[in-house]
Amino acid sequence: ADNPGGGGSGATVWLLRACLAANLDGVQAAVHTDADLVADARAAGVGATLTARFNRRAADPHAQPFEHPARVLALSDGRF
């Protein structure tokens, strides 16, 4: 698995693709490292819908580009 806590890049979309293809409901992709996608979500704002474009500039050869409609549920500055 692509676990950033274990040294992975946090940029693969295989599990997300499989969940969407299986039409699963109530599943979340917990961690995805993608600064461009974050910038798009911030520009759109909470509650907005957008085409989420994953891995536009990923250096990891396993991080394939992927697009899917999405809704911005929340934004944070990373401080808890």
Side-chain angles (χ1 to χ4, degrees), residues 37 47-54 67-73:
L37 182 54
T49 57
L50 70 148
T51 299
R53 292 180 175 89
F54 296 82
E67 293 185 3
H68 196 272
R71 182 168 34 107
V72 181
L73 299 178

Side-chain angles (χ1 to χ4, degrees), residues 22-59:
N23 235 4
L24 297 179
D25 190 24
V27 177
Q28 294 182 16
V31 175
H32 190 86
T33 306
D34 190 324
D36 293 331
L37 182 54
V38 170
D40 291 347
R42 287 195 176 283
V46 174
T49 57
L50 70 148
T51 299
R53 292 180 175 89
F54 296 82
N55 300 327
R56 285 172 272 180
R57 296 188 290 157

